[in-house]
Amino acid sequence: MNSVKPLTAALVILAFIAGTGVDYLLAAQGEPATAGVACPERITSRDALTVALHDPEVVGLLGNKSIDTIVFSKGSYPERNVNYTQILFRLGDPDPDDRMTASMIVVQVNESCMVSSVYKTYPSYIPDTPPET
């Protein structure tokens, strides 16, 4: 059962890399990027990821960091009548023994195919728990 989680993470990362490579090749052939030009009526997770990876601020925050997982979720601000897709990039922990969580990068892509929010979380301390007796 423990081998399923690393295998799943590896498949997600491999799919991400392959998708990015295909998107790069299509964009290099003159096909327009999804961001702002041809936004579909219903934005998918792939569309949101494509928009996020074309945003200079997102690319700057990701830099050359190791990404462990990418998580997608849908959300809305009913008071503003806005729906969005949230992308959470869980970064690799550079020092797993320091009792600190790794930072995460959070990106929200609205239904107009624009990045409406992007930020990096602060690491947090994981307190030591005494063994149960």
Side-chain angles (χ1 to χ4, degrees), residues 51-92:
V51 168
L53 293 177
H54 282 89
D55 185 84
E57 189 174 0
V58 174
V59 172
L61 283 175
L62 288 173
N64 290 330
K65 295 177 178 63
S66 173
I67 300 171
D68 278 351
T69 57
I70 303 172
V71 179
F72 297 91
S73 61
K74 296 283 188 177
S76 67
Y77 298 113
E79 64 279 358
R80 290 188 267 165
N81 197 25
V82 174
N83 297 316
Y84 61 87
T85 301
Q86 181 167 293
I87 307 168
L88 177 68
F89 295 93
R90 293 184 188 269
L91 303 178

